[in-house]
Amino acid sequence: MPQTFTQLLNAMPTTRLAPSPTGALHLGNARTFLANWLLARERGWRIILRIEDLDGPRIKRGADQQAIEDLQWLGMDWDEGPIYQSSRRDAYAKAVRRLIEGGFAYPCICTRKEVDLAASAPHAEDGAAVYPGTCRGRFASIEAARNASGREPAIRFNVGTEIVEFVDQVRGSQRFQMARLGDFVIQKADLTPAYQLAVVVDDGEMGMTEVVRGNDLIDSTPRQIMLYRALGLADRIPNYWHLPLVVGPDDRRLAKRHGDTRISHYRERGVPASRVLELLNRWLRIDSKQTESIVFTADDDAFLRAVD
Ligand SMILES: [Zn+2]
């Protein structure tokens, strides 16, 4: 039987560029986007541009357009999108309901402060307390949780005693004891879907086969794999590529304290895109398999600014 065009498209290797309009694109995330884009264009993957704009209070007005312009200025393009996550809330709500009904997720009425105080487990690498499981099996329904606290509960995914293994395309075999990461939030108390859930619902539905991102998100991958399985999407788990982050000379993730490294900043100063690309390409030649991070030095900054 002949395949429809949609079926053909969905069978294609596919990746996404997924900027979050919570801040401007800087040299560090530009490197990750460029690596993703180059891999895609070299290997013939379809590229979807997805704007991850669910983090309400942190979203900056106009940052989505700015990210799009910055990516284009650096010469990147895409085959589909932009698709805004904020337009897909129904799909996320449906997945959350399904996970609750399937017994994979439960309501949690703990405040952040309570979680911090109650945490006995070692703290996760990102400094967040590991949720101690206070509300696991505590409420018969969302209604019951709401009545107990007088407010809307968050929804957490129960990781149980699972051990999740996967092979990262850059970093090789990975193994996570999920109890050490703890039950994670899939829907916040303000009914906003959490990052982990939205990404899996989108990636699953959009036929994503390749996920390329910074290695600060490697802890997210086993959580997302558990979500794929619980949502009956185990056959759609993509390949993951976790790339080293760009850090400052103090070995901390590139941020404001290292000066203004926004792409738009250099652009407004009249630094040509070719100059920025030259630095990004130099960083791309650093073997991602061999290094945890790439250091942005004062020399790099001077190189960008030295426009004659
Ligand atoms: Zn709780």
Side-chain angles (χ1 to χ4, degrees), residues 110-175:
C110 303
T111 61
R112 180 168 300 219
K113 205 172 166 190
E114 285 165 345
V115 172
D116 286 344
L117 286 174
S120 51
H123 286 219
E125 262 176 47
D126 57 6
V130 174
Y131 181 67
T134 320
C135 301
R136 197 188 298 147
R138 183 172 169 194
F139 302 108
S141 65
I142 294 189
E143 196 69 71
R146 213 179 271 142
N147 292 339
S149 66
R151 56 177 188 263
E152 193 61 34
I155 307 296
R156 280 186 192 270
F157 187 87
N158 183 355
V159 298
T161 53
E162 198 85 9
I163 290 171
V164 175
E165 295 179 307
F166 66 95
V167 178
D168 186 84
Q169 302 299 308
V170 178
R171 298 161 67 89
S173 294
Q174 304 291 318
R175 187 171 194 272

Side-chain angles (χ1 to χ4, degrees), residues 11 50 53 60 122 167 268 283 293:
R50 187 169 75 213
D53 61 342
K60 296 199 175 66
V167 178
E268 282 156 19
W283 283 346
S293 57

